[in-house]
């Protein structure tokens, strides 16, 4: 008997503690956590610096609302926008909230309503974010969606050219469609996105909720492409496990969000900002990002060595890696759990690996050994 809604397909194990990449259930069994809470626990579980930041802030101030000045928010905003073409931040509590804010900002600034998104995308489960998501299974049962979203085939240049015109407010995309199968944007398609945005005055929104904050080996995934966003959305890894989301936007959009245009009670609260600043101070260091790239290359090399190319293919970038197979991955993921490795799916045929950005070479070796045992 439960008092909870059944809207999650919950796994049977009950995790009670974690340290780094290792989590432990209530029976004392350890697991390698290659989910990171779905790309959230970016510095691993119970990172000492995050624990310290949260403890120190909890003894000073938890909440005052956004009616008051916040130098701490100002510092975090500056850290996130430094050395980018983005200038301003707005803080909220989650990725869905960040995408709702991005949609509102684009529509209000442009005075237009039509937004192009892409099939297999995922932008959240609130009403605007759900309408933007290019997966019918996410939208089923909720009646008519919020109007003016059009989902195009991803990486289809002709479809994009045919849909883009002066009535489009924004293009909204993920550099890597993490939930939708770990599908990466192709360079030629990215260039076409930039071309039509410039031609028709279309705003570009990039959803970096899962790919941002070092997950792909750079601060933001778009930095590895020709894409130049007007707005990006962030969450997940930004808080390292503490709830926080954000949008970053360019200089020209500042006046659009004046007082009363958007708001949040808890967004950017002192606890969340203290943790997020600590996360950024670690991850945005050049040496840290270089190590993410190094560990990514090692993980892919080890997987390629043990998995036959005629049966498996690798997708993604950084420490967002998908293993594509022709088999249903549900039973594989269950077997991995029994063997002490936690992973998540990305659709029905892709195993998604999302270890903490602090994962060690030895932990990668252990995970690959388990996958080899299961898959071969």
């Amino acid at each position: 008997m439960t008092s909870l809604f059944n809207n999650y397909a919950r796994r049977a194990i009950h995790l009670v503690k974690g340290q780094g990449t290792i989590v432990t259930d209530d029976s004392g069994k350890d697991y390698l956590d290659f989910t990171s809470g779905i790309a959230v626990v970016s510095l691993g579980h119970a990172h000492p610096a995050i624990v310290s930041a949260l403890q120190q802030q909890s003894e000073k101030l938890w909440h005052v609302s956004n009616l008051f000045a916040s130098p701490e928010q100002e510092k975090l905003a500056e850290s996130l926008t430094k050395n980018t073409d983005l200038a301003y931040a707005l803080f909220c509590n989650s990725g869905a909230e960040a995408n709702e804010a991005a949609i509102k900002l684009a529509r209000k600034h442009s005075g237009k309503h039509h937004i192009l998104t892409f099939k297999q995308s995922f932008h959240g489960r609130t009403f605007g974010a759900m309408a933007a998501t290019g997966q019918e299974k996410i939208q089923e049962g909720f009646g008519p969606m919020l109007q003016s979203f059009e989902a195009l085939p991803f990486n289809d240049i002709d479809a994009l050219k045919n849909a883009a015109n002066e009535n489009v407010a924004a293009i909204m995309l993920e550099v890597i469609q993490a939930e939708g199968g770990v599908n990466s944007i192709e360079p030629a398609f990215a260039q076409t996105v930039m071309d039509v945005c410039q031609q028709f005055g279309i705003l570009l929104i990039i959803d970096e909720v899962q790919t941002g904050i070092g997950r792909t080996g750079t601060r933001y995934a778009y930095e590895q492409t020709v894409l130049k966003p007007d707005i990006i959305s962030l969450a997940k890894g930004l808080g390292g496990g503490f709830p926080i989301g954000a949008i970053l936007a360019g200089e020209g959009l500042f006046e659009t969000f004046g007082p009363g245009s958007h708001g949040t009670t808890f967004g950017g609260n002192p606890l969340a900002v203290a943790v997020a600043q600590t996360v950024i101070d670690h991850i945005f260091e050049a040496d840290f990002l270089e190590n993410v790239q190094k560990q990514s290359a090692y993980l892919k090399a080890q997987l390629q060595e043990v998995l036959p190319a005629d049966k498996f293919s690798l997708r993604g970038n950084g420490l967002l890696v998908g293993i594509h197979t022709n088999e249903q991955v549900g039973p594989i993921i269950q077997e991995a759990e029994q063997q002490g490795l936690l992973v998540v799916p990305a659709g029905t045929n892709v195993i998604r690996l999302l270890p903490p950005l602090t994962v060690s070479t030895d932990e990668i070796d252990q995970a690959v050994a388990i996958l080899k045992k299961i898959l071969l």
Side-chain angles (χ1 to χ4, degrees), residues 7-37:
N7 57 311
Y8 297 107
R10 296 184 189 271
R11 302 187 188 184
I13 61 172
H14 174 207
L15 301 175
V16 295
K17 65 178 180 179
Q19 187 69 53
T21 309
I22 306 299
V23 290
T24 307
D25 69 17
D26 56 358
S27 72
K29 180 179 177 179
D30 289 337
Y31 304 81
L32 281 166
D33 183 7
F34 271 50
T35 74
S36 298

PDB file of all heavy atoms in Angstrom, residues 7-37:
ATOM      1  N   ASN A   7       3.195   7.774 -10.629  1.00  0.00           N
ATOM      2  CA  ASN A   7       3.646   8.393 -11.877  1.00  0.00           C
ATOM      3  C   ASN A   7       5.122   8.144 -12.170  1.00  0.00           C
ATOM      4  O   ASN A   7       5.632   8.591 -13.198  1.00  0.00           O
ATOM      5  CB  ASN A   7       3.383   9.909 -11.858  1.00  0.00           C
ATOM      6  CG  ASN A   7       4.038  10.611 -10.685  1.00  0.00           C
ATOM      7  OD1 ASN A   7       3.906  10.166  -9.545  1.00  0.00           O
ATOM      8  ND2 ASN A   7       4.727  11.701 -10.942  1.00  0.00           N
ATOM      9  N   TYR A   8       5.822   7.440 -11.303  1.00  0.00           N
ATOM     10  CA  TYR A   8       7.204   7.044 -11.563  1.00  0.00           C
ATOM     11  C   TYR A   8       7.293   5.520 -11.613  1.00  0.00           C
ATOM     12  O   TYR A   8       6.710   4.831 -10.768  1.00  0.00           O
ATOM     13  CB  TYR A   8       8.154   7.548 -10.473  1.00  0.00           C
ATOM     14  CG  TYR A   8       8.231   9.044 -10.359  1.00  0.00           C
ATOM     15  CD1 TYR A   8       7.629   9.711  -9.293  1.00  0.00           C
ATOM     16  CD2 TYR A   8       8.910   9.801 -11.309  1.00  0.00           C
ATOM     17  CE1 TYR A   8       7.696  11.081  -9.181  1.00  0.00           C
ATOM     18  CE2 TYR A   8       8.975  11.174 -11.207  1.00  0.00           C
ATOM     19  CZ  TYR A   8       8.365  11.816 -10.146  1.00  0.00           C
ATOM     20  OH  TYR A   8       8.426  13.181 -10.042  1.00  0.00           O
ATOM     21  N   ALA A   9       8.037   5.016 -12.601  1.00  0.00           N
ATOM     22  CA  ALA A   9       8.316   3.575 -12.645  1.00  0.00           C
ATOM     23  C   ALA A   9       9.515   3.320 -11.729  1.00  0.00           C
ATOM     24  O   ALA A   9      10.657   3.188 -12.168  1.00  0.00           O
ATOM     25  CB  ALA A   9       8.618   3.136 -14.070  1.00  0.00           C
ATOM     26  N   ARG A  10       9.226   3.287 -10.446  1.00  0.00           N
ATOM     27  CA  ARG A  10      10.301   3.231  -9.455  1.00  0.00           C
ATOM     28  C   ARG A  10      10.985   1.865  -9.436  1.00  0.00           C
ATOM     29  O   ARG A  10      10.333   0.831  -9.553  1.00  0.00           O
ATOM     30  CB  ARG A  10       9.764   3.548  -8.061  1.00  0.00           C
ATOM     31  CG  ARG A  10       9.228   4.960  -7.894  1.00  0.00           C
ATOM     32  CD  ARG A  10       8.807   5.193  -6.455  1.00  0.00           C
ATOM     33  NE  ARG A  10       8.089   6.450  -6.288  1.00  0.00           N
ATOM     34  CZ  ARG A  10       8.672   7.623  -6.028  1.00  0.00           C
ATOM     35  NH1 ARG A  10       9.989   7.670  -5.914  1.00  0.00           N
ATOM     36  NH2 ARG A  10       7.960   8.711  -5.885  1.00  0.00           N
ATOM     37  N   ARG A  11      12.288   1.898  -9.244  1.00  0.00           N
ATOM     38  CA  ARG A  11      13.031   0.660  -9.047  1.00  0.00           C
ATOM     39  C   ARG A  11      12.856   0.202  -7.591  1.00  0.00           C
ATOM     40  O   ARG A  11      12.567   1.003  -6.705  1.00  0.00           O
ATOM     41  CB  ARG A  11      14.504   0.877  -9.366  1.00  0.00           C
ATOM     42  CG  ARG A  11      14.728   1.375 -10.796  1.00  0.00           C
ATOM     43  CD  ARG A  11      16.202   1.405 -11.140  1.00  0.00           C
ATOM     44  NE  ARG A  11      16.414   2.054 -12.423  1.00  0.00           N
ATOM     45  CZ  ARG A  11      17.604   2.149 -13.010  1.00  0.00           C
ATOM     46  NH1 ARG A  11      18.685   1.625 -12.423  1.00  0.00           N
ATOM     47  NH2 ARG A  11      17.730   2.750 -14.176  1.00  0.00           N
ATOM     48  N   ALA A  12      13.075  -1.078  -7.378  1.00  0.00           N
ATOM     49  CA  ALA A  12      12.784  -1.663  -6.071  1.00  0.00           C
ATOM     50  C   ALA A  12      13.804  -1.283  -4.999  1.00  0.00           C
ATOM     51  O   ALA A  12      13.497  -1.296  -3.811  1.00  0.00           O
ATOM     52  CB  ALA A  12      12.710  -3.179  -6.189  1.00  0.00           C
ATOM     53  N   ILE A  13      15.038  -0.948  -5.398  1.00  0.00           N
ATOM     54  CA  ILE A  13      16.062  -0.691  -4.388  1.00  0.00           C
ATOM     55  C   ILE A  13      15.850   0.667  -3.725  1.00  0.00           C
ATOM     56  O   ILE A  13      15.375   1.620  -4.340  1.00  0.00           O
ATOM     57  CB  ILE A  13      17.484  -0.781  -4.987  1.00  0.00           C
ATOM     58  CG1 ILE A  13      17.690   0.266  -6.105  1.00  0.00           C
ATOM     59  CG2 ILE A  13      17.762  -2.168  -5.493  1.00  0.00           C
ATOM     60  CD1 ILE A  13      19.130   0.337  -6.588  1.00  0.00           C
ATOM     61  N   HIS A  14      16.227   0.736  -2.452  1.00  0.00           N
ATOM     62  CA  HIS A  14      16.105   1.959  -1.661  1.00  0.00           C
ATOM     63  C   HIS A  14      17.514   2.431  -1.305  1.00  0.00           C
ATOM     64  O   HIS A  14      18.186   1.848  -0.450  1.00  0.00           O
ATOM     65  CB  HIS A  14      15.291   1.684  -0.396  1.00  0.00           C
ATOM     66  CG  HIS A  14      15.227   2.848   0.539  1.00  0.00           C
ATOM     67  ND1 HIS A  14      15.052   2.700   1.903  1.00  0.00           N
ATOM     68  CD2 HIS A  14      15.322   4.187   0.319  1.00  0.00           C
ATOM     69  CE1 HIS A  14      15.047   3.886   2.475  1.00  0.00           C
ATOM     70  NE2 HIS A  14      15.210   4.808   1.537  1.00  0.00           N
ATOM     71  N   LEU A  15      17.972   3.489  -1.963  1.00  0.00           N
ATOM     72  CA  LEU A  15      19.310   4.018  -1.720  1.00  0.00           C
ATOM     73  C   LEU A  15      19.290   4.917  -0.496  1.00  0.00           C
ATOM     74  O   LEU A  15      18.409   5.770  -0.343  1.00  0.00           O
ATOM     75  CB  LEU A  15      19.803   4.800  -2.942  1.00  0.00           C
ATOM     76  CG  LEU A  15      19.877   3.993  -4.242  1.00  0.00           C
ATOM     77  CD1 LEU A  15      20.248   4.885  -5.417  1.00  0.00           C
ATOM     78  CD2 LEU A  15      20.869   2.842  -4.110  1.00  0.00           C
ATOM     79  N   VAL A  16      20.270   4.742   0.380  1.00  0.00           N
ATOM     80  CA  VAL A  16      20.269   5.467   1.647  1.00  0.00           C
ATOM     81  C   VAL A  16      21.479   6.368   1.841  1.00  0.00           C
ATOM     82  O   VAL A  16      21.452   7.272   2.685  1.00  0.00           O
ATOM     83  CB  VAL A  16      20.154   4.489   2.840  1.00  0.00           C
ATOM     84  CG1 VAL A  16      18.815   3.772   2.814  1.00  0.00           C
ATOM     85  CG2 VAL A  16      21.301   3.473   2.851  1.00  0.00           C
ATOM     86  N   LYS A  17      22.553   6.145   1.075  1.00  0.00           N
ATOM     87  CA  LYS A  17      23.711   7.028   1.207  1.00  0.00           C
ATOM     88  C   LYS A  17      24.580   6.908  -0.036  1.00  0.00           C
ATOM     89  O   LYS A  17      24.468   5.964  -0.826  1.00  0.00           O
ATOM     90  CB  LYS A  17      24.528   6.705   2.457  1.00  0.00           C
ATOM     91  CG  LYS A  17      25.196   5.337   2.461  1.00  0.00           C
ATOM     92  CD  LYS A  17      26.029   5.138   3.728  1.00  0.00           C
ATOM     93  CE  LYS A  17      26.705   3.765   3.734  1.00  0.00           C
ATOM     94  NZ  LYS A  17      27.537   3.570   4.955  1.00  0.00           N
ATOM     95  N   GLY A  18      25.458   7.904  -0.190  1.00  0.00           N
ATOM     96  CA  GLY A  18      26.365   7.897  -1.325  1.00  0.00           C
ATOM     97  C   GLY A  18      27.629   8.667  -1.024  1.00  0.00           C
ATOM     98  O   GLY A  18      27.632   9.591  -0.195  1.00  0.00           O
ATOM     99  N   GLN A  19      28.682   8.295  -1.703  1.00  0.00           N
ATOM    100  CA  GLN A  19      29.961   8.988  -1.578  1.00  0.00           C
ATOM    101  C   GLN A  19      30.658   8.902  -2.936  1.00  0.00           C
ATOM    102  O   GLN A  19      30.971   7.807  -3.401  1.00  0.00           O
ATOM    103  CB  GLN A  19      30.838   8.368  -0.492  1.00  0.00           C
ATOM    104  CG  GLN A  19      32.116   9.148  -0.213  1.00  0.00           C
ATOM    105  CD  GLN A  19      31.842  10.491   0.443  1.00  0.00           C
ATOM    106  OE1 GLN A  19      31.157  10.566   1.454  1.00  0.00           O
ATOM    107  NE2 GLN A  19      32.368  11.560  -0.135  1.00  0.00           N
ATOM    108  N   GLY A  20      30.877  10.026  -3.559  1.00  0.00           N
ATOM    109  CA  GLY A  20      31.499  10.020  -4.873  1.00  0.00           C
ATOM    110  C   GLY A  20      30.614   9.330  -5.893  1.00  0.00           C
ATOM    111  O   GLY A  20      29.457   9.697  -6.095  1.00  0.00           O
ATOM    112  N   THR A  21      31.127   8.261  -6.516  1.00  0.00           N
ATOM    113  CA  THR A  21      30.384   7.503  -7.531  1.00  0.00           C
ATOM    114  C   THR A  21      29.650   6.315  -6.933  1.00  0.00           C
ATOM    115  O   THR A  21      28.894   5.640  -7.623  1.00  0.00           O
ATOM    116  CB  THR A  21      31.368   7.013  -8.624  1.00  0.00           C
ATOM    117  OG1 THR A  21      32.136   8.132  -9.080  1.00  0.00           O
ATOM    118  CG2 THR A  21      30.661   6.426  -9.824  1.00  0.00           C
ATOM    119  N   ILE A  22      29.832   6.042  -5.658  1.00  0.00           N
ATOM    120  CA  ILE A  22      29.265   4.862  -5.014  1.00  0.00           C
ATOM    121  C   ILE A  22      28.031   5.239  -4.195  1.00  0.00           C
ATOM    122  O   ILE A  22      28.056   6.184  -3.408  1.00  0.00           O
ATOM    123  CB  ILE A  22      30.292   4.180  -4.089  1.00  0.00           C
ATOM    124  CG1 ILE A  22      31.588   3.877  -4.849  1.00  0.00           C
ATOM    125  CG2 ILE A  22      29.705   2.915  -3.477  1.00  0.00           C
ATOM    126  CD1 ILE A  22      31.417   2.946  -6.019  1.00  0.00           C
ATOM    127  N   VAL A  23      26.948   4.477  -4.415  1.00  0.00           N
ATOM    128  CA  VAL A  23      25.756   4.617  -3.577  1.00  0.00           C
ATOM    129  C   VAL A  23      25.465   3.278  -2.911  1.00  0.00           C
ATOM    130  O   VAL A  23      25.854   2.220  -3.412  1.00  0.00           O
ATOM    131  CB  VAL A  23      24.531   5.087  -4.391  1.00  0.00           C
ATOM    132  CG1 VAL A  23      24.701   6.526  -4.829  1.00  0.00           C
ATOM    133  CG2 VAL A  23      24.286   4.189  -5.602  1.00  0.00           C
ATOM    134  N   THR A  24      24.767   3.332  -1.789  1.00  0.00           N
ATOM    135  CA  THR A  24      24.512   2.135  -0.977  1.00  0.00           C
ATOM    136  C   THR A  24      23.029   2.037  -0.669  1.00  0.00           C
ATOM    137  O   THR A  24      22.388   3.044  -0.337  1.00  0.00           O
ATOM    138  CB  THR A  24      25.311   2.204   0.334  1.00  0.00           C
ATOM    139  OG1 THR A  24      26.693   2.439   0.035  1.00  0.00           O
ATOM    140  CG2 THR A  24      25.177   0.916   1.125  1.00  0.00           C
ATOM    141  N   ASP A  25      22.480   0.807  -0.784  1.00  0.00           N
ATOM    142  CA  ASP A  25      21.060   0.635  -0.472  1.00  0.00           C
ATOM    143  C   ASP A  25      20.868   0.237   0.982  1.00  0.00           C
ATOM    144  O   ASP A  25      21.834   0.095   1.751  1.00  0.00           O
ATOM    145  CB  ASP A  25      20.398  -0.350  -1.444  1.00  0.00           C
ATOM    146  CG  ASP A  25      20.873  -1.793  -1.274  1.00  0.00           C
ATOM    147  OD1 ASP A  25      21.470  -2.131  -0.236  1.00  0.00           O
ATOM    148  OD2 ASP A  25      20.624  -2.604  -2.189  1.00  0.00           O
ATOM    149  N   ASP A  26      19.607   0.051   1.358  1.00  0.00           N
ATOM    150  CA  ASP A  26      19.299  -0.202   2.774  1.00  0.00           C
ATOM    151  C   ASP A  26      19.679  -1.605   3.232  1.00  0.00           C
ATOM    152  O   ASP A  26      19.594  -1.914   4.423  1.00  0.00           O
ATOM    153  CB  ASP A  26      17.827   0.068   3.058  1.00  0.00           C
ATOM    154  CG  ASP A  26      16.879  -0.721   2.171  1.00  0.00           C
ATOM    155  OD1 ASP A  26      17.365  -1.469   1.288  1.00  0.00           O
ATOM    156  OD2 ASP A  26      15.651  -0.591   2.339  1.00  0.00           O
ATOM    157  N   SER A  27      20.138  -2.451   2.295  1.00  0.00           N
ATOM    158  CA  SER A  27      20.648  -3.764   2.697  1.00  0.00           C
ATOM    159  C   SER A  27      22.168  -3.767   2.817  1.00  0.00           C
ATOM    160  O   SER A  27      22.768  -4.782   3.161  1.00  0.00           O
ATOM    161  CB  SER A  27      20.221  -4.830   1.673  1.00  0.00           C
ATOM    162  OG  SER A  27      20.947  -4.682   0.454  1.00  0.00           O
ATOM    163  N   GLY A  28      22.789  -2.614   2.493  1.00  0.00           N
ATOM    164  CA  GLY A  28      24.238  -2.511   2.575  1.00  0.00           C
ATOM    165  C   GLY A  28      24.956  -2.788   1.268  1.00  0.00           C
ATOM    166  O   GLY A  28      26.193  -2.740   1.213  1.00  0.00           O
ATOM    167  N   LYS A  29      24.220  -3.051   0.183  1.00  0.00           N
ATOM    168  CA  LYS A  29      24.838  -3.331  -1.116  1.00  0.00           C
ATOM    169  C   LYS A  29      25.284  -2.041  -1.780  1.00  0.00           C
ATOM    170  O   LYS A  29      24.548  -1.050  -1.798  1.00  0.00           O
ATOM    171  CB  LYS A  29      23.858  -4.073  -2.029  1.00  0.00           C
ATOM    172  CG  LYS A  29      24.434  -4.407  -3.397  1.00  0.00           C
ATOM    173  CD  LYS A  29      23.428  -5.177  -4.260  1.00  0.00           C
ATOM    174  CE  LYS A  29      23.987  -5.450  -5.647  1.00  0.00           C
ATOM    175  NZ  LYS A  29      23.036  -6.214  -6.488  1.00  0.00           N
ATOM    176  N   ASP A  30      26.489  -2.053  -2.338  1.00  0.00           N
ATOM    177  CA  ASP A  30      27.036  -0.894  -3.043  1.00  0.00           C
ATOM    178  C   ASP A  30      26.789  -1.008  -4.546  1.00  0.00           C
ATOM    179  O   ASP A  30      26.765  -2.097  -5.123  1.00  0.00           O
ATOM    180  CB  ASP A  30      28.542  -0.779  -2.801  1.00  0.00           C
ATOM    181  CG  ASP A  30      28.887  -0.361  -1.385  1.00  0.00           C
ATOM    182  OD1 ASP A  30      28.022   0.248  -0.717  1.00  0.00           O
ATOM    183  OD2 ASP A  30      30.013  -0.644  -0.943  1.00  0.00           O
ATOM    184  N   TYR A  31      26.647   0.170  -5.175  1.00  0.00           N
ATOM    185  CA  TYR A  31      26.460   0.252  -6.615  1.00  0.00           C
ATOM    186  C   TYR A  31      27.345   1.357  -7.183  1.00  0.00           C
ATOM    187  O   TYR A  31      27.551   2.392  -6.528  1.00  0.00           O
ATOM    188  CB  TYR A  31      25.010   0.609  -6.981  1.00  0.00           C
ATOM    189  CG  TYR A  31      23.964  -0.310  -6.432  1.00  0.00           C
ATOM    190  CD1 TYR A  31      23.513  -0.171  -5.113  1.00  0.00           C
ATOM    191  CD2 TYR A  31      23.382  -1.304  -7.223  1.00  0.00           C
ATOM    192  CE1 TYR A  31      22.527  -0.999  -4.597  1.00  0.00           C
ATOM    193  CE2 TYR A  31      22.394  -2.134  -6.713  1.00  0.00           C
ATOM    194  CZ  TYR A  31      21.972  -1.977  -5.399  1.00  0.00           C
ATOM    195  OH  TYR A  31      20.994  -2.798  -4.893  1.00  0.00           O
ATOM    196  N   LEU A  32      27.830   1.159  -8.402  1.00  0.00           N
ATOM    197  CA  LEU A  32      28.428   2.250  -9.168  1.00  0.00           C
ATOM    198  C   LEU A  32      27.287   3.066  -9.756  1.00  0.00           C
ATOM    199  O   LEU A  32      26.459   2.531 -10.510  1.00  0.00           O
ATOM    200  CB  LEU A  32      29.299   1.691 -10.302  1.00  0.00           C
ATOM    201  CG  LEU A  32      30.684   1.176  -9.937  1.00  0.00           C
ATOM    202  CD1 LEU A  32      31.237   0.350 -11.102  1.00  0.00           C
ATOM    203  CD2 LEU A  32      31.624   2.333  -9.632  1.00  0.00           C
ATOM    204  N   ASP A  33      27.240   4.334  -9.422  1.00  0.00           N
ATOM    205  CA  ASP A  33      26.134   5.174  -9.883  1.00  0.00           C
ATOM    206  C   ASP A  33      26.519   5.873 -11.186  1.00  0.00           C
ATOM    207  O   ASP A  33      27.135   6.940 -11.174  1.00  0.00           O
ATOM    208  CB  ASP A  33      25.761   6.204  -8.817  1.00  0.00           C
ATOM    209  CG  ASP A  33      24.564   7.037  -9.233  1.00  0.00           C
ATOM    210  OD1 ASP A  33      23.952   6.726 -10.273  1.00  0.00           O
ATOM    211  OD2 ASP A  33      24.247   8.007  -8.519  1.00  0.00           O
ATOM    212  N   PHE A  34      26.140   5.274 -12.307  1.00  0.00           N
ATOM    213  CA  PHE A  34      26.359   5.893 -13.608  1.00  0.00           C
ATOM    214  C   PHE A  34      25.065   6.528 -14.117  1.00  0.00           C
ATOM    215  O   PHE A  34      24.807   6.596 -15.312  1.00  0.00           O
ATOM    216  CB  PHE A  34      26.910   4.868 -14.608  1.00  0.00           C
ATOM    217  CG  PHE A  34      28.419   4.773 -14.604  1.00  0.00           C
ATOM    218  CD1 PHE A  34      29.116   4.627 -13.408  1.00  0.00           C
ATOM    219  CD2 PHE A  34      29.135   4.830 -15.790  1.00  0.00           C
ATOM    220  CE1 PHE A  34      30.504   4.547 -13.396  1.00  0.00           C
ATOM    221  CE2 PHE A  34      30.520   4.747 -15.787  1.00  0.00           C
ATOM    222  CZ  PHE A  34      31.210   4.603 -14.593  1.00  0.00           C
ATOM    223  N   THR A  35      24.260   7.023 -13.158  1.00  0.00           N
ATOM    224  CA  THR A  35      23.090   7.849 -13.487  1.00  0.00           C
ATOM    225  C   THR A  35      23.278   9.280 -12.992  1.00  0.00           C
ATOM    226  O   THR A  35      22.744  10.207 -13.570  1.00  0.00           O
ATOM    227  CB  THR A  35      21.801   7.291 -12.856  1.00  0.00           C
ATOM    228  OG1 THR A  35      21.795   7.564 -11.443  1.00  0.00           O
ATOM    229  CG2 THR A  35      21.660   5.795 -13.086  1.00  0.00           C
ATOM    230  N   SER A  36      24.020   9.432 -11.888  1.00  0.00           N
ATOM    231  CA  SER A  36      24.206  10.749 -11.248  1.00  0.00           C
ATOM    232  C   SER A  36      22.874  11.450 -10.995  1.00  0.00           C
ATOM    233  O   SER A  36      22.767  12.670 -11.123  1.00  0.00           O
ATOM    234  CB  SER A  36      25.101  11.650 -12.110  1.00  0.00           C
ATOM    235  OG  SER A  36      26.375  11.115 -12.270  1.00  0.00           O
ATOM    236  N   GLY A  37      21.849  10.677 -10.641  1.00  0.00           N
ATOM    237  CA  GLY A  37      20.542  11.302 -10.433  1.00  0.00           C
ATOM    238  C   GLY A  37      19.997  11.898 -11.707  1.00  0.00           C
ATOM    239  O   GLY A  37      19.285  12.908 -11.677  1.00  0.00           O
TER     240      GLY A  37
END
